């Protein structure tokens, strides 16, 4: 281990002396001050190009940072420098909101898990767009949500699309949108995953996208982020709706309400659980989405990724791209390079020259229609 990585591991341990949310705030401040890691690792075998209607997104590597870490788009460039192939910022809502009462973030160290009930705390679209003005280059996702007290939550997603699409025009930032309807921490939000509500949401988003594309001369991919708690039939239904309305992909998955197998004293806390125990449930949902989509949607695998082996399992299950976040709480900021290095070795051991050759090679699970 390099001396610099040893320092970052020590810093991770020191941050664990703070309450979880304070530790996260301190981490953002350190990154803004330029004190984050800088990766020198080259993994060309993990690069891939993702075509969409109107262009191609080039990912220098397939390992991304999931939404939730950088809610206000304050440090995307720093996280790209640390070795991530792409960074998803947000979730951002049209208006600023404080989120749920504290404490609302819990480390489950014995389980290498996290429970959060943050409630889309963020500074709103104007601050988000302002922070993004200084970003140049790199693949950055814009994760949008709805305010808790919105009279028309579907309209909030359309507002987020309009505000950020317009701000990004010609500025060189913002690569794709992610529609977050699967957080368990905004009451009633997951109702939008039901077919009738989902068709209304995606129909209005698709209509607005058509208008924005015509006005700007630019298209942007749109992904839908779903919960791992959906049944197989519900996942298949959601995939069908996404394809029908012209979405480009799906992020599988968000946090879970499941607490099976947890041992930590905080296991009964309300909120969404992420981290190592989520891996099997999220990967099972990914396999179902792969089978249901028949290759018509790009899939991003998230949930429980903590090393090269878990990233590789997501890819074999059908993910073209992989996201992580919670594992950094326990394994530190150098984790992304560890995952990349291990994944490259696993691909080579199986005779793959590129990550694209391994996508979905495990037999897909049948999806109920």
């Amino acid at each position: 281990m390099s001396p610099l990585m040893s320092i970052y591991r020590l810093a991770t341990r020191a941050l664990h002396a703070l309450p979880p949310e304070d530790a996260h705030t301190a981490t953002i401040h350190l990154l803004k001050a330029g004190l984050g890691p800088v990766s020198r690792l080259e993994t060309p075998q993990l690069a891939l190009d993702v075509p969409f209607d109107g262009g191609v997104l080039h990912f220098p590597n397939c390992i991304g940072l999931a939404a939730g870490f950088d809610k206000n788009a304050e440090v995307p460039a720093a996280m790209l420098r640390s070795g991530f192939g792409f960074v998803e910022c947000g979730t951002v809502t049209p208006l600023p909101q404080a989120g749920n009462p504290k404490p609302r973030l819990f480390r489950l160290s014995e389980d290498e898990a996290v429970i959060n009930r943050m409630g889309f705390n963020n500074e709103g679209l104007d601050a988000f767009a302002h922070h993004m003005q200084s970003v140049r280059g790199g693949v950055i996702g814009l994760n949008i949500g709805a305010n808790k007290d919105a009279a028309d939550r579907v309209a909030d997603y359309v507002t987020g699309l309009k505000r950020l699409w317009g701000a990004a025009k010609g500025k060189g930032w913002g690569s794709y949108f992610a529609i977050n309807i699967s957080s368990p921490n905004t009451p009633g939000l997951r109702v939008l995953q039901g077919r009738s509500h989902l068709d209304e949401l995606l129909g209005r988003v698709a209509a607005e996208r058509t208008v924005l594309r015509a006005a700007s001369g630019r298209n942007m991919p749109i992904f839908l982020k779903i919960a791992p708690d959906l049944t197989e039939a519900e996942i298949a239904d959601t995939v069908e709706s996404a394809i029908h309305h012209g979405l480009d992909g799906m992020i599988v998955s968000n946090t879970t309400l499941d607490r099976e197998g947890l041992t930590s004293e905080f296991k009964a806390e309300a909120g969404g659980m992420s981290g190592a125990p989520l891996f099997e449930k999220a990967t099972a949902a990914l396999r179902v989405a792969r089978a249901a989509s028949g290759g018509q949607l790009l899939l991003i695998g998230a949930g429980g990724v903590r090393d090269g082996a878990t990233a590789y399992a997501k890819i074999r299950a059908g993910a073209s791209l992989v996201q992580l976040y919670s594992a950094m709480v326990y394994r530190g900021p150098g984790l992304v390079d560890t995952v990349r290095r291990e994944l490259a070795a696993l691909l080579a051991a199986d005779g793959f020259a590129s990550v694209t050759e391994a996508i979905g090679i495990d037999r897909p699970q049948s999806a109920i229609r």
Side-chain angles (χ1 to χ4, degrees):
M1 183 188 301
S2 70
L4 193 56
M5 281 299 104
S6 296
I7 290 171
Y8 286 128
R9 285 205 171 181
L10 288 171
T12 299
R13 291 186 193 135
L15 287 169
H16 274 230
L18 298 174
E21 191 165 351
D22 292 343
H24 181 263
T25 300
T27 299
I28 296 294
H29 286 315
L30 290 170
L31 289 167
K32 289 170 71 173
L35 298 177
V38 178
S39 173
R40 306 297 182 194
L41 180 65
E42 298 290 336
T43 51
Q45 63 272 58
L46 302 186
L48 72 162
D49 291 327
V50 174
F52 65 97
D53 184 15
V56 176
L57 283 183
H58 173 70
F59 292 80
N61 74 72
C62 61
I63 307 300
L65 177 64
F69 179 84
D70 189 6
K71 290 177 177 289
N72 297 305
E74 296 176 278
V75 292
M79 298 312 291
L80 289 170
R81 286 194 297 270
S82 75
F84 285 102
F86 64 107
V87 170
E88 191 170 307
C89 297
T91 297
V92 60
T93 57
L95 300 175
Q97 62 181 28
N100 293 322
K102 298 179 182 180
R104 54 193 181 180
L105 183 62
F106 305 89
R107 298 186 195 101
L108 284 69
S109 299
E110 299 89 342
D111 304 299
E112 202 171 332
V114 172
I115 289 177
N116 91 83
R117 50 173 179 265
M118 303 299 287
F120 285 173
N121 57 306
N122 73 102
E123 296 174 2
L125 285 170
D126 288 344
F128 188 99
H130 175 73
H131 293 153
M132 287 293 295
Q133 294 301 319
S134 61
V135 178
R136 293 292 180 271
V139 180
I140 300 175
L142 313 174
N143 186 301
I144 56 176
N147 281 111
K148 180 179 180 179
D149 57 357
D152 182 351
R153 285 182 172 168
V154 171
D156 273 15
Y157 289 94
V158 174
T159 296
L161 194 69
K162 289 170 63 176
R163 176 70 175 89
L164 296 181
W165 193 303
K169 180 183 176 184
K171 300 295 193 303
W173 61 261
S175 306
Y176 69 85
F177 282 93
I179 299 175
N180 186 358
I181 57 170
S182 49
S183 169
N185 301 316
T186 297
L189 188 73
R190 285 190 170 187
V191 169
L192 292 174
Q193 293 179 122
R195 185 59 187 264
S196 62
H197 295 288
L198 186 60
D199 279 335
E200 180 190 359
L201 168 64
L202 298 187
R204 287 170 65 177
V205 165
E208 187 60 39
R209 180 196 211 179
T210 299
V211 172
L212 291 167
R213 182 178 184 181
S216 67
R218 177 195 187 198
N219 194 21
M220 292 177 70
I222 300 178
F223 304 146
L224 181 70
K225 187 167 187 176
I226 67 169
D229 304 313
L230 297 174
T231 66
E232 185 175 328
E234 288 170 336
I235 292 172
D237 214 30
T238 301
V239 166
E240 186 177 85
S241 181
I243 293 171
H244 176 73
H245 292 287
L247 265 67
D248 302 273
M250 188 170 286
I251 302 170
V252 188
S253 67
N254 212 320
T255 59
T256 182
L257 296 173
D258 193 359
R259 297 293 189 267
E260 184 177 356
L262 297 182
T263 61
S264 168
E265 63 178 308
F266 298 115
K267 65 183 180 181
E269 291 290 345
M273 187 271 289
S274 59
L278 176 57
F279 175 76
E280 294 296 341
K281 190 181 190 78
T283 307
L286 174 65
R287 293 190 191 100
V288 174
R290 169 72 175 186
S293 66
Q296 295 183 72
L297 294 174
L298 177 91
L299 298 177
I300 300 178
V305 175
R306 57 195 181 277
D307 52 25
T310 47
Y312 191 33
K314 298 282 189 188
I315 290 162
R316 293 179 65 104
S320 296
L321 302 163
V322 175
Q323 292 179 328
L324 61 85
Y325 169 15
S326 296
M328 289 197 303
V329 172
Y330 299 101
R331 304 194 179 199
L335 176 62
V336 60
D337 272 4
T338 299
V339 172
R340 289 168 59 200
R341 192 177 294 110
E342 292 176 354
L343 177 57
L346 289 166
L347 289 168
D350 284 346
F352 297 121
S354 167
V355 67
T356 57
E357 298 173 11
I359 296 169
I361 62 169
D362 289 345
R363 188 172 181 177
Q365 183 173 327
S366 297
I368 295 173
R369 288 290 187 179

